[in-house]
Amino acid sequence: MSTFLSIPVELQLQVISNVHLNDIENFTLCCKVLHQRSEERLMEQYARKRDLSTIAIGHVDNLTWDEDHQIRGVHPLLVLRDIFADPQTRLYTKTLIVGYLNIPPMEPDDFNDQEEAELDQAELYQVAAQFKHDTRLSRKVLEVQQCIYPGSGETNLEDCPEAKKWTEEILSGDMAASASLLIAILPSLQTFRLVDRWEAMVDDSFFVEILGDMLFVGSDGMHDLTGINTFDNLTEVGLHGVAPGCSVNYEVLEGFIGLPSMRTIKGRVVDGLFDTCLPNCSELRSLEFYQSAISAKAFSPTFRATTKLQNFVYEFWADARVEAEQWEPHQIVEALKAHTKKSLRRLELTSLSEHDYMNNNTFYDCIDFEKGEPFIGSLCAFELLEEIRLETMMFYKEVEDGQSWTQEEKDISLPKQEGQGAVDRKQMGGRDALVEPQRIVDVLPASTRKLRLVGSLSSEDATAMLKDLPVLKEERLPNLSSIFFEDIERSDIDEKVVREVEREGVRMKFWQPSP
């Protein structure tokens, strides 16, 4: 009996060259010989998948994405053209980056030279003209419309005004309308990133409205999403503002947190004051926010819904817009204790670096700490917490019944109180408070392995924090292996104290000045 391998090799290679790239992987599984002879086509398919694994649309600031400074956004209509030409390619996209979409239709003037080449106006008109004579686009819009808003039952575009308007906006070159359809037809998305150039996402934006409705139907489990399935595999979301005054609102996360597949949410330049309505069964594992200003009131519903949270990072960024109640490390820790004490493994609560404190006076000018803040109290309730990074100010507790200092009292130096560490006067947002540093053996949980401290310390205060650590380490902190003071040098702490701690197996690390 004749087999494929019995025909001349030249003919085999000709057949292989005509196998569609979408089928080449399965084709090469037939036998080792075919796998070897199809290697060139196989590599071509792998390269194609790699190129299509990440798509960026809209205007993407190349400074926004730290991991790749070469990302450039294209008009989503061009991506739709490529997908409709080869529908299989939509399965290859794992990461979608959505940049600024509020660009006038067919006007690429706001893009740089390289992006203008990708967003050539003539090409967009050509693509739109092709779609006007191709019913695949309008049929897909109608299909997605009925998945998101079921019940209408229209089978003709003319009978569905919403789908008709959506199609017309896409054909006019509207980026938001095109992006809305694109995100609805990418079923393999694992990572979604959104950057906004203004203070908050525009409430009446078509893209925001469609995205919100898709998130709702994706998380309620009651809709038939066979036609889109966009969020079945989504595990990570990133929100990026640009700068203070051009931030993304925390409320945007409400729909993402409720997705069954969601595991990681990251944000940069995000703000939020108010609580949100969230489900009580989120599978979220990691929350990271950098250069952001989010209140404890906004965080609390998230912690309540996310009882499996393992990683929480919050870098507070104070600026002239920030209100007093937005920097609340004590309240944030209390909310974490209430809902994540059995799951949290990593905690970072920091604000500006010490270098930024010296060059930016807005932090102390804007934050008027209430009594009890920023001291976080004890973390001993956390059962699995291993890695901790905190501001040194969070270890200072106000002296009971301590009053703000008068001008005369500011000239008085208080002696160290035996057994209580150093009593000091700290600037807390425009007021001088009487405070004393707490011992880390009284603050940290027994599960702690690594501690990093951000902010300056006097030698006396550092000694007070380390007090009794050599004696009580085995009893209270048996897993502690390293302490890193990020903003002070080794010479700033009594060398005898440092050596005693190191003798107990704790590696002491300090800031190293630049040569």
Side-chain angles (χ1 to χ4, degrees):
M1 183 178 66
S2 298
T3 64
F4 181 77
L5 295 179
S6 66
I7 66 175
V9 175
E10 293 80 3
L11 291 178
Q12 293 180 33
L13 295 177
Q14 186 174 350
V15 171
I16 291 172
S17 67
N18 284 279
V19 176
H20 197 284
L21 285 177
N22 293 335
D23 302 319
I24 194 66
E25 291 179 82
N26 289 334
F27 181 80
T28 59
L29 296 176
C30 294
C31 66
K32 291 183 179 179
V33 175
L34 284 182
H35 189 280
Q36 293 172 351
R37 291 175 181 170
S38 306
E39 187 172 358
E40 184 176 343
R41 293 277 288 169
L42 195 59
M43 292 302 103
E44 185 180 351
Q45 170 68 348
Y46 289 159
R48 182 166 167 256
K49 279 188 172 183
R50 184 172 59 251
D51 293 341
L52 293 171
S53 65
T54 297
I55 292 177
I57 58 175
H59 183 97
V60 179
D61 190 334
N62 64 345
L63 298 179
T64 301
W65 316 103
D66 296 336
E67 61 270 30
D68 190 344
H69 295 296
Q70 304 304 316
I71 291 178
R72 290 294 186 272
V74 300
H75 197 294
L77 187 57
L78 302 182
V79 182
L80 287 173
R81 173 199 59 187
D82 296 338
I83 289 178
F84 279 102
D86 185 359
Q88 186 75 11
T89 58
R90 70 192 184 98
L91 302 177
Y92 303 153
T93 302
K94 308 298 182 184
T95 299
L96 177 65
I97 298 172
V98 179
Y100 182 49
L101 298 174
N102 193 14
I103 303 291
M106 303 298 189
E107 294 291 340
D109 296 337
D110 289 339
F111 291 75
N112 62 33
D113 293 339
Q114 180 176 347
E115 290 166 324
E116 284 181 2
E118 297 174 318
L119 299 171
D120 180 74
Q121 190 174 20
E123 183 179 11
L124 288 177
Y125 276 121
Q126 183 180 11
V127 173
Q130 292 173 356
F131 276 132
K132 286 180 181 179
H133 301 287
D134 188 342
T135 59
R136 289 179 297 175
L137 175 67
S138 58
R139 290 202 309 268
K140 179 56 71 173
V141 171
L142 184 60
E143 178 185 352
V144 172
Q145 178 81 20
Q146 291 176 341
C147 283
I148 301 175
Y149 310 106
S152 56
E154 292 90 350
T155 58
N156 191 300
L157 186 67
E158 296 298 326
D159 298 330
C160 184
E162 296 83 2
K164 183 179 179 180
K165 180 181 178 182
W166 189 354
T167 303
E168 290 173 349
E169 290 179 346
I170 293 175
L171 295 178
S172 73
D174 184 83
M175 296 184 74
S178 301
S180 301
L181 179 61
L182 179 62
I183 194 174
I185 62 174
L186 297 176
S188 302
L189 278 187
Q190 297 176 1
T191 302
F192 176 64
R193 294 177 180 170
L194 176 67
V195 60
D196 189 44
R197 294 170 65 88
W198 306 119
E199 180 170 358
M201 300 183 68
V202 183
D203 291 336
D204 59 355
S205 165
F206 184 79
F207 175 78
V208 174
E209 180 182 347
I210 291 292
L211 178 60
D213 291 338
M214 289 174 60
L215 288 169
F216 174 76
V217 299
S219 61
D220 72 354
M222 299 178 64
H223 287 68
D224 179 11
L225 302 181
T226 306
I228 48 179
N229 286 329
T230 305
F231 301 118
D232 286 355
N233 302 303
L234 193 64
T235 61
E236 180 178 333
V237 168
L239 299 178
H240 295 250
V242 178
C246 301
S247 55
V248 178
N249 196 292
Y250 185 77
E251 295 178 23
V252 175
L253 294 173
E254 180 177 337
F256 291 108
I257 293 175
L259 293 175
S261 59
M262 187 56 55
R263 295 294 181 272
T264 301
I265 289 179
K266 297 181 180 180
R268 188 176 298 275
V269 195
V270 179
D271 63 16
L273 279 174
F274 308 107
D275 58 355
T276 53
C277 181
L278 296 172
N280 292 321
C281 55
S282 174
E283 296 293 323
L284 199 64
R285 300 293 193 275
S286 178
L287 276 173
E288 297 183 20
F289 293 96
Y290 302 92
Q291 300 174 346
S292 299
I294 306 170
S295 70
K297 187 176 182 180
F299 274 132
S300 292
T302 304
F303 300 152
R304 183 169 60 248
T306 314
T307 57
K308 298 179 181 179
L309 191 68
Q310 298 177 0
N311 178 53
F312 180 71
V313 177
Y314 178 34
E315 179 188 67
F316 179 75
W317 188 359
D319 70 359
R321 304 176 310 109
V322 173
E323 299 181 24
E325 67 267 24
Q326 284 186 258
W327 183 219
E328 307 160 313
H330 175 74
Q331 292 189 46
I332 291 174
V333 167
E334 289 302 309
L336 284 168
K337 284 182 189 178
H339 305 290
T340 68
K341 65 180 181 180
K342 294 183 179 294
S343 63
L344 197 67
R345 294 180 177 272
R346 178 189 177 203
L347 171 64
E348 291 191 20
L349 284 174
T350 58
S351 55
L352 300 175
S353 68
E354 185 69 13
H355 177 269
D356 291 326
Y357 285 153
M358 293 184 291
N359 291 277
N360 187 335
N361 295 324
T362 60
F363 182 79
Y364 289 131
D365 292 340
C366 296
I367 306 303
D368 185 13
F369 288 114
E370 299 295 333
K371 190 173 179 64
E373 297 280 5
F375 177 58
I376 58 173
S378 173
L379 301 176
C380 294
F382 292 97
E383 299 177 10
L384 302 175
L385 189 56
E386 297 178 340
E387 298 184 25
I388 301 172
R389 185 170 182 259
L390 300 171
E391 293 275 353
T392 54
M393 70 168 71
M394 298 177 191
F395 280 79
Y396 285 92
K397 181 180 180 181
E398 288 193 42
V399 175
E400 194 69 25
D401 298 326
Q403 303 294 324
S404 296
W405 288 53
T406 64
Q407 185 60 45
E408 292 76 13
E409 291 172 321
K410 290 181 181 180
D411 298 326
I412 301 176
S413 260
L414 289 183
K416 178 180 177 181
Q417 295 182 5
E418 186 65 29
Q420 295 294 324
V423 178
D424 200 0
R425 186 179 66 247
K426 294 291 178 184
Q427 188 74 13
M428 296 296 183
R431 66 185 177 87
D432 288 299
L434 191 63
V435 295
E436 59 185 16
Q438 303 300 293
R439 302 183 305 175
I440 67 171
V441 293
D442 296 326
V443 175
L444 303 185
S447 55
T448 306
R449 291 193 303 107
K450 298 179 181 179
L451 172 66
R452 298 169 69 101
L453 294 174
V454 181
S456 62
L457 277 175
S458 67
S459 175
E460 188 178 37
D461 287 353
T463 301
M465 286 185 181
L466 296 172
K467 181 178 176 62
D468 297 328
L469 177 58
V471 178
L472 298 176
K473 178 185 179 300
E474 288 302 317
E475 176 186 344
R476 298 194 183 181
L477 298 172
N479 301 305
L480 186 63
S481 61
S482 68
I483 299 176
F484 184 12
F485 291 92
E486 297 186 16
D487 293 306
I488 64 176
E489 300 180 50
R490 187 183 182 102
S491 58
D492 293 334
I493 300 182
D494 187 340
E495 183 63 24
K496 179 181 177 182
V497 174
V498 173
R499 290 181 178 179
E500 288 179 353
V501 173
E502 290 180 330
R503 196 174 297 125
E504 296 302 318
V506 179
R507 182 184 180 189
M508 299 289 287
K509 300 166 63 178
F510 300 87
W511 172 71
Q512 297 293 331
S514 302

